Every structure is written in structure tokens, then in C-alpha cells.
Amino acid sequence: MSASGSAGYCSFTKAIEHLGDRWSLLVVRQLGTLGPQGFNDLATGLPGRISRSVLADRLRRLEMLGVVSRCEGPHPAYRLTDVGLGLMTPLGALRTWAETWLPDDPAMVERDPDVMLGWLAQRVDRAHCPVRPVVLEFRLHQTCDRRYWLVVQRGAQPYGCLTDPLLDPARYVYLESSIPALLALAHGRCDWSCALRDGSLTAAGDPALMSRVGEWFRPVPEGAHTR
């Protein structure tokens, strides 16, 4: 191997050794996307379930590498340094590559359902949601005993729940689909109205609410429909 090739390999190896675990780059992306975050905000906002001890360990490692710094004050928070900000461009390229080439993992929905709920929440068009909150209850064909909930309301941040939020029963829409169909909706590869029309998604509840579900999510980008 040439000297330049060896140096590149060593640099790549160092990056993988320091940042190649499940959580480090997710922490970097969260801070780069949302700005400074407190420990509790990171613990609850990261996709998946991270223990507080693991998060503390990853933050210490990122601080040691100079990727993250801790802002002191009445409300301590973590932020990306200039070194950390330099990771955002390659992270964006990695995400684009994954969206293009990596298939969905159906098992992920059962393993980390809050990730799927987060994707659905990102596609909500808050300006077109009802004034009063509506609860979308999802049931999957493969696991009929498991349910997930997404709460939407005009102007409010949508949020997912792994337990029933127990809001007004008249404001629930009950949705059932396969895991692939739900992932296609969450990623914006399938239109809600089309999914309801072709039967890959079924709905029950107040007819007035059911008829408007498709309006509460951003339209599918041109050319993004599932083949």
C-alpha cells in the first residue's frame, strides 16, 4: 500500500473507532439540526432508546474529541464546536446515500417504534391540522396486539406516544396497515389519500376526521411515489 493510501486508511480507521458506534453520530446530528440541547432534551429527543449512562459516556467521548462542548449557565447545554459542525456535510451525504440505496428494515418498527413515529411527525403539515387535537392510532397487520399513537393539532408540535394519550375518544382516528405501507407513508414515498383508496391503509372513526387525514401531511414530492 502506498504511503498516501496507508494514511487515508488510518484516518478512516480512527474515525470509525471514535464515531462508529450506534449513538455518537446521532448525537452530532441532533445538535447540528436543533442547536444546543440539554442532557434531558437529548435523552428524550434521540431516535431509539438510549440509556442515560450511555448518553453520558458518548457526550464525554465527544467532548474529549473536541466535537462537542458544554455551555455552562443556569441551563447547561451541549453544542457542536466548529470541529463538530464539520461533520454535518458528510452526515448529510450519508443520509442521502442511505435513503437512495438502503432498504427499509421492517423489524425496526417493532424494535424502535418511536423512530417511525418521529418520521411520521416530521411529515405533518401543522398549518392544515385541526384546531382541536386529533389522535391517530396505528395498528399493524403483523402485530395486531401492538398499537402506536400520533397526536396532531394546528400550530402545535406533533408527538408520538407508545401508550394511549387518553384524549377525547371522539377525536381518534383508527388506522391499520402493513409495516411496509406505514414506512412508505412515513418516508413520504406514498400519498395518504392513495393508500386509503387502494386499501393498503384502512381507517375507522369519525367520518369527518377520516376524510381529512391526508390533508394533515405534506404532499409526496414529485417522482417520490413507491414503485
Side-chain angles (χ1 to χ4, degrees):
M1 183 179 290
S2 67
S4 60
S6 176
Y9 176 78
C10 291
S11 298
F12 180 77
T13 301
K14 286 190 294 184
I16 294 299
E17 287 176 349
H18 288 298
L19 300 170
D21 64 274
R22 179 180 180 185
W23 296 107
S24 293
L25 292 179
L26 287 174
V27 171
V28 171
R29 178 184 175 277
Q30 191 83 348
L31 295 176
T33 303
L34 300 179
Q37 296 268 288
F39 185 91
N40 291 334
D41 293 330
L42 282 169
T44 57
L46 285 168
R49 299 178 182 85
I50 185 171
S51 71
R52 298 177 73 84
S53 60
V54 170
L55 177 57
D57 175 75
R58 297 303 184 270
L59 287 169
R60 281 194 297 269
R61 183 191 302 175
L62 292 170
E63 281 189 273
M64 179 191 69
L65 293 171
V67 172
V68 165
S69 65
R70 190 168 186 267
C71 312
E72 300 295 343
H75 304 288
Y78 295 89
R79 66 176 181 86
L80 291 185
T81 63
D82 287 345
V83 174
L85 289 170
L87 283 167
M88 294 305 292
T89 297
L91 280 180
L94 182 62
R95 176 178 179 174
T96 300
W97 177 85
E99 289 177 343
T100 303
W101 298 109
L102 292 184
D104 288 324
D105 175 14
M108 179 278 301
V109 175
E110 297 185 58
R111 187 175 62 246
D112 290 319
D114 43 350
V115 174
M116 181 269 299
L117 289 170
W119 290 336
L120 286 168
Q122 289 175 4
R123 296 209 54 76
V124 171
D125 184 348
R126 289 184 280 176
H128 290 88
C129 288
V131 174
R132 294 175 56 206
V134 171
V135 181
L136 303 179
E137 179 178 300
F138 296 95
R139 190 188 297 266
L140 303 173
H141 296 328
Q142 294 90 335
T143 55
C144 291
D145 59 327
R146 300 187 64 179
R147 295 173 296 162
Y148 313 109
W149 296 265
L150 182 69
V151 182
V152 301
Q153 183 177 8
R154 183 172 303 173
Q157 181 67 39
Y159 62 92
C161 305
L162 301 183
T163 57
D164 192 336
L166 300 176
L167 299 180
D168 182 356
R171 305 292 294 174
Y172 277 59
V173 175
Y174 303 93
L175 302 164
E176 187 171 341
S177 75
S178 66
I179 291 178
L182 189 57
L183 285 169
L185 291 166
H187 284 309
R189 297 196 303 266
C190 178
D191 183 84
W192 286 79
S193 300
C194 292
L196 287 166
R197 190 163 53 247
D198 68 17
S200 58
L201 178 73
T202 59
D206 183 337
L209 292 176
M210 286 193 299
S211 67
R212 297 188 56 199
V213 170
E215 302 173 13
W216 306 336
F217 293 85
R218 294 198 301 275
V220 174
E222 186 74 24
H225 285 70
T226 302
R227 290 178 293 175

